[in-house]
Amino acid sequence: MSADRTSPAGDHPGPLLRTEPPGRPAYGFPRRGWAFLAEHPPPGARSIGGRWRSPMRGPWLTSMYGLVLLIGLPLVFLTGLLDYLAYGPQFGQAFPHDVGWLRLPPFDWPTRPSWLFRVTQGLHVALGITLIPVVLGKLWSVIPKLFDWPPARSVAQVLERLSLVLLVGGILFEIATGLLNIQYAYLFGFDFYTAHYFGAWVFVAALVTHVALKLRRMLTALRSRPVLAELTVPPDATRPEPPDPDGLVAARPGPATVSRRGALALVGGLSLLLAGLTVGQSFDGRWRRTALLLPRGRQPGAGPTGFPVNRTAAAAGIGSADTRAGWRLTLRAAGRQASLDRAALLALPQHTARQPIACVEGWSTLQTWTGVRLRDLAALVGAGQPGAAHVRSLEKAGLFGQATLQTNQVLDPDSLLALRVNGVDLTPDHGYPARVIVPALPGVHCTKWVAEIEFRGRTDA
């Protein structure tokens, strides 16, 4: 994608230092300070600047990549916020717990449509991965700016460059930590949820600042060249754009080896390839086999229980001694208590619902669940219209051994304490002897190996 190259000695007169393109603003205050920096570059600065000679670089190509990111990245951010709300921060079970003044307004996550979380989280992960080549293409198009000397020409430009540090550092941090999280590769020594949440806000603040400073120039650059006409230009006819105030155009461009059409096609093709290797985790059947980049979202086996799990019984420390004949489900509400074994639960009215379960890593699956409605269990213990239900698992350790459900999640007609899936008993990995299934609820809060459900009044929730 690059025609960057260094010319042999003698190919051009003078040192390889970026010349001043027409229209570049003069030094601001303090003028003498900026001039001094310009006259005293660090070792190698004069030669490095001349290495970036691709004639493709310029405001138009940078703005094309920028336009895609301006549409896609806010969508990634918004779906991330929706997923945070889905975890129920009002119950202190979203991560991070304490976000200070970045706390979102109270919001009861809906149960309808049942596929809501499946779409928001799947889109968050898939779109974030798909945009990686565009991010890299955008960084390639502006990389000569990293070697400008002096690095700034005014106090205002210093502030702009600082916003770029936060912008570039923020997006690379979010991409790196997000990819490691979906692969369960926690190589960093900090909490992923906290870092990813605050990192997203830092990036968005920098993005808003950058757009405010550059939107007019981006729109001007996009209007400077008709898109369809530019996409017909072959490499041997690719010419540099006119010098620009931002210095994106090479001072002494070399011959093109790739056209702008080729650069856009390469980035677009890589994005489509990543999308094709990712989106299969959100579908069932043969499509799931294409999720090669996300092995935890692939089909682990055949048969009615051959669909993905996030945490196995062995990983949770759940053995047969915990789930065999001695297991009992304890129901509590306002001082009342009931205890039921699995046979007693199977003797209650059973309800079957086909609904998805979706994981924070982006994978999801649609299955048919059978069990007792949560609202029937609430009535059984005299809870009436509970304000919430607190569910505890047999699991002794881990972040998600318990979860609190909102009123609408308890009372939804398809909210179940599931005992069977696809016509067969749950397996240990799928939560035997009983697990929670609630429409549009994040998978980690569809608690497996349930030991106790406490129905709370509205004032206790």
Side-chain angles (χ1 to χ4, degrees):
M1 188 167 73
S2 172
D4 293 329
R5 59 190 70 180
T6 304
S7 298
D11 186 48
H12 53 78
L16 290 173
L17 183 64
R18 181 184 294 279
T19 59
E20 297 301 318
R24 171 169 284 197
Y27 298 129
F29 176 83
R31 187 181 185 283
R32 290 186 178 180
W34 305 120
F36 177 83
L37 287 176
E39 294 166 3
H40 298 83
R46 295 183 182 277
S47 60
I48 291 176
R51 294 180 183 274
W52 314 107
R53 303 188 60 209
S54 173
M56 288 189 300
R57 285 195 181 92
W60 185 84
L61 184 62
T62 297
S63 297
M64 287 293 291
Y65 291 140
L67 179 62
V68 176
L69 295 177
L70 187 58
I71 296 171
L73 290 178
L75 188 56
V76 175
F77 176 70
L78 289 175
T79 52
L81 289 185
L82 288 175
D83 296 340
Y84 180 80
L85 288 170
Y87 276 76
Q90 68 271 33
F91 298 121
Q93 59 186 11
F95 296 95
H97 298 305
D98 184 10
V99 297
W101 57 273
L102 290 176
R103 184 178 302 279
L104 301 176
F107 179 77
D108 283 344
W109 185 251
T111 58
R112 301 294 166 174
S114 62
W115 41 260
L116 180 60
F117 186 77
R118 185 183 200 186
V119 170
T120 58
Q121 185 60 26
L123 186 61
H124 180 75
V125 172
L127 185 57
I129 292 175
T130 300
L131 288 176
I132 291 176
V134 186
V135 171
L136 297 179
K138 177 74 156 49
L139 292 178
W140 174 88
S141 73
V142 299
I143 196 171
K145 295 292 294 175
L146 300 177
F147 299 93
D148 265 356
W149 194 264
R153 298 165 179 272
S154 66
V155 174
Q157 200 173 49
V158 169
L159 297 176
E160 178 188 342
R161 296 295 288 249
L162 288 176
S163 74
L164 286 177
V165 171
L166 295 177
L167 181 72
V168 175
I171 187 60
L172 293 180
F173 178 83
E174 292 296 286
I175 288 174
T177 55
L179 289 177
L180 290 172
N181 177 64
I182 61 179
Q183 296 292 344
Y184 288 69
Y186 298 108
L187 307 180
F188 36 81
F190 48 80
D191 178 66
F192 163 76
Y193 297 100
T194 301
H196 206 65
Y197 185 85
F198 287 110
W201 281 108
V202 169
F203 165 72
V204 166
L207 177 64
V208 170
T209 302
H210 186 68
V211 170
L213 293 171
K214 297 296 186 181
L215 182 61
R216 180 176 296 181
R217 287 187 183 177
M218 186 187 82
L219 295 176
T220 300
L222 291 173
R223 296 190 191 106
S224 68
R225 291 171 176 253
V227 175
L228 295 180
E230 189 64 33
L231 294 181
T232 63
V233 178
D236 57 2
T238 297
R239 299 291 181 267
E241 296 182 55
D244 65 295
D246 290 321
L248 295 175
V249 178
R252 287 181 290 274
T257 56
V258 180
S259 66
R260 294 184 182 89
R261 173 185 61 190
L264 293 173
L266 175 61
V267 169
L270 289 174
S271 290
L272 289 175
L273 176 62
L274 289 179
L277 297 176
T278 302
V279 297
Q281 67 169 348
S282 297
F283 301 92
D284 292 297
R286 63 183 61 185
W287 283 103
R288 195 172 293 276
R289 301 174 189 169
T290 65
L292 300 179
L293 296 182
L294 301 148
R296 289 185 180 270
R298 297 178 67 186
Q299 203 84 4
T305 60
F307 55 91
V309 295
N310 183 48
R311 188 167 170 83
T312 64
I318 305 295
S320 58
D322 301 302
T323 59
R324 56 191 180 192
W327 174 85
R328 295 289 186 276
L329 170 69
T330 300
L331 303 176
R332 302 181 191 276
R336 296 178 295 274
Q337 179 174 316
S339 180
L340 300 90
D341 60 13
R342 201 166 189 277
L345 289 168
L346 288 168
L348 294 173
Q350 302 291 296
H351 178 72
T352 297
R354 186 164 175 79
Q355 54 184 304
I357 185 169
C359 186
V360 68
E361 283 78 25
W363 65 261
S364 58
T365 181
L366 181 65
Q367 305 296 334
T368 301
W369 309 89
T370 301
V372 184
R373 286 186 170 108
L374 293 181
R375 65 185 188 185
D376 291 344
L377 293 175
L380 183 66
V381 75
Q385 298 285 318
H390 189 72
V391 184
R392 294 184 180 88
S393 173
L394 291 170
E395 187 176 359
K396 300 298 188 297
L399 293 176
F400 302 105
Q402 56 186 344
T404 300
L405 307 179
Q406 305 158 182
T407 302
N408 62 319
Q409 293 169 338
V410 177
L411 299 180
D412 188 283
D414 286 339
S415 293
L416 303 175
L417 181 72
L419 306 170
R420 296 166 63 83
V421 61
N422 299 322
V424 300
D425 288 345
L426 295 171
T427 63
D429 286 346
H430 286 300
Y432 181 89
R435 70 170 300 166
V436 166
I437 293 292
V438 172
L441 187 68
V444 291
H445 286 167
C446 290
T447 307
K448 297 193 287 188
W449 315 294
V450 175
E452 179 182 310
I453 303 177
E454 179 185 357
F455 296 100
R456 298 171 176 175
R458 297 183 183 275
T459 57
D460 301 325

